[in-house]
Amino acid sequence: MKYWRVPLDADQIEVTRGIVHIVAERCKGCGYCIAFCPRDVLEVSPRYNAKGYHPPQVKRADECVNCHYCEIICPDFAIYSVEASADLV
Amino acid sequence: MNKTKERNEHPLDELLRTDRIPHIWCPGCGIGTAFSASLVAMKTSAIDLQKTVMVSGIGCSGRGAGYIKLDSYHTTHGRAIPFATGMKLANPELNVVVFSGDGDLFAIGGNHFIHAARRNIDLTVVCVNNFNYGMTGGQAAATTPCNARTTTTPRGNPETPFNLPFMAFAAGASYVARWTILHTRDLTKSVEEALLRRGFSFIEVLAPCPTSYGRRNKQKPLDTLKAYQERTVIKHACHPAEVQLDFERGITLGKFFDLERPTFLDMYDRTCRPQERIEKSEAV
């Protein structure tokens, strides 16, 4: 996303980092998480899951800001994100 | 330290009967999102989940009761609200959530809905509106938009659909809102408010039905969501009579009405059990 000006307190804002987890076997390949991710983190994976759908895969892991939108739009409880620091410990 | 290590537990798994997941809803169906938004709202609203019941009728959305790991009832067709009413009156401590579809709540169960709203029974009704009878093969329902094609209206639907928020408002509901599955955060917040609101709360959730409705109206699931993104207007406190639902002219979303009034149990106690009320107030 491009801003036409930088917020005055931009240097004080800490951007959260997230890690996306995909439960591939639950996915039905609707593509909502891929289409509506605000940071364009996900893409269609070439591999199949057991039901024959293409689950998403993480394309740009560093871009995730842990907004949870993929988690709440997913109709199949197949994707979620956790905050990076908590996960890396 | 593997950043992408496989994890198989979802944050909502504690509220799901995971042995039944993946659920039966089709790829791209919006019911799953509406269901997960309801579960998140139940978690975040901090209501006692041991005293929360989900009631569903028949239809695709009616399967919701089978997937939640709380007390739940999968009732007969159209009769989710009568079951819920009975449960609430027998045990007023319960938080009763009705999660069902438009065909169930408004076609066969239409009168039950009207009268529950009129009596202002303390229920939370989440109605997933996918514009047709999805489970039986995509027949025209009471909510199918005019000119839409379904199995039973191959040349377009000649009928005018129900305006569900207006009906709920006119019948006397305390809380009326409409969202789509794309507006998941607003939807979750709305369900949360409705759970905490005393009285009859009604939330209509627009959801794509790619297999039945979408296929006959040339709407791929992502197209439907794009339409939700482009043609919806959020107007809080809009009068329900002016609420639009038209894929060409626009779809009005928002919280249309929110006003507390005495529930059925309050009125019943006041009218039929005045003695007990006096004793209770003396005890306090």
Side-chain angles (χ1 to χ4, degrees):
Chain A
M1 202 189 284
K2 272 185 187 161
Y3 297 107
W4 57 277
R5 61 171 193 178
V6 180
L8 292 174
D9 55 349
D11 53 332
Q12 294 161 21
I13 293 173
E14 261 186 50
V15 179
T16 48
R17 284 273 323 281
I19 292 177
V20 181
H21 293 278
I22 297 158
V23 191
E25 294 313 316
R26 287 184 184 178
C27 179
K28 289 182 189 152
C30 65
Y32 289 172
C33 52
I34 300 168
F36 290 101
C37 174
R39 303 286 291 212
D40 197 19
V41 170
L42 301 161
E43 65 179 355
V44 184
S45 156
R47 71 183 190 91
Y48 295 95
N49 66 10
K51 302 267 182 193
Y53 296 110
H54 290 286
Q57 68 181 18
V58 177
K59 176 171 63 176
R60 306 193 295 169
D62 296 339
E63 292 289 309
C64 179
V65 292
N66 199 26
C67 75
H68 296 287
Y69 194 72
C70 54
E71 180 181 328
I72 59 177
I73 192 90
C74 177
D76 289 280
F77 309 100
I79 188 167
Y80 62 97
S81 66
V82 290
E83 205 167 323
S85 55
D87 195 75
L88 291 175
V89 173
Chain B
M1 192 169 71
N2 182 8
K3 275 167 94 178
T4 51
K5 66 184 171 188
E6 282 273 322
R7 276 220 201 169
N8 285 321
E9 74 278 15
H10 190 275
L12 285 174
D13 275 2
E14 56 186 281
L15 279 178
L16 286 173
R17 291 179 206 247
T18 42
D19 51 327
R20 291 172 171 238
I21 303 284
H23 48 59
I24 58 146
W25 296 318
C26 308
C29 174
I31 301 171
T33 307
F35 185 63
S36 97
S38 311
L39 296 188
V40 173
M42 283 181 189
K43 264 176 91 172
T44 53
S45 66
I47 53 171
D48 186 357
L49 292 180
Q50 294 305 311
K51 288 183 181 162
T52 305
V53 190
M54 187 178 261
V55 189
S56 292
I58 297 296
C60 290
S61 321
R63 308 293 294 222
Y67 295 124
I68 188 170
K69 205 157 121 193
L70 299 174
D71 290 337
S72 60
Y73 274 87
H74 191 190
T75 68
T76 47
H77 197 3
R79 273 69 195 168
I81 288 182
F83 271 77
T85 305
M87 216 172 329
K88 183 73 191 174
L89 298 190
N91 187 354
E93 284 187 353
L94 295 177
N95 301 302
V96 186
V97 182
V98 177
F99 184 89
S100 207
D102 55 309
D104 183 72
L105 284 172
F106 286 94
I108 186 164
N111 261 304
H112 297 303
F113 179 89
I114 294 172
H115 290 287
R118 174 178 65 81
R119 294 181 182 124
N120 200 23
I121 293 161
D122 190 4
L123 304 177
T124 303
V125 179
V126 180
C127 171
V128 181
N129 183 359
N130 57 8
F131 308 114
N132 73 129
Y133 289 105
M135 183 171 269
T136 48
Q139 290 84 0
T143 45
T144 306
C146 197
N147 293 328
R149 285 166 204 272
T150 63
T151 325
T152 46
T153 56
R155 306 174 129 211
N157 182 26
E159 301 168 14
T160 309
F162 266 141
N163 177 350
L164 302 185
F166 189 31
M167 185 152 121
F169 167 75
S174 307
Y175 184 99
V176 182
R178 176 199 269 161
W179 297 104
T180 76
I181 64 147
L182 189 71
H183 301 76
T184 327
R185 285 189 212 278
D186 303 283
L187 170 64
T188 310
K189 203 171 136 241
S190 203
V191 178
E192 202 183 310
E193 279 176 5
L195 284 168
L196 301 172
R197 153 78 52 238
R198 290 186 78 240
F200 191 87
S201 323
F202 170 67
I203 297 160
E204 180 186 4
V205 189
L206 306 184
C209 176
T211 308
S212 293
Y213 184 82
R215 183 156 54 100
R216 296 192 176 83
N217 292 284
K218 297 199 171 62
Q219 281 184 357
K220 293 249 162 61
L222 278 172
D223 300 341
T224 318
L225 289 207
K226 293 257 158 68
Y228 289 162
Q229 196 172 23
E230 286 158 11
R231 301 201 190 129
T232 51
V233 188
I234 297 177
K235 274 189 201 166
H236 290 299
C238 175
H239 191 278
E242 290 155 17
V243 166
Q244 280 190 343
L245 177 47
D246 191 316
F247 279 97
E248 302 302 319
R249 284 185 298 160
I251 301 170
T252 319
L253 305 177
K255 182 170 87 174
F256 304 132
F257 187 70
D258 185 3
L259 185 73
E260 184 156 355
R261 67 183 183 92
T263 65
F264 174 74
L265 273 168
D266 297 343
M267 298 297 279
Y268 187 84
D269 284 350
R270 199 175 300 168
T271 321
C272 308
R273 297 173 179 150
Q275 197 53 44
E276 287 174 32
R277 193 164 60 97
I278 293 163
E279 280 166 13
K280 210 192 277 177
S281 62
E282 276 173 1
V284 172

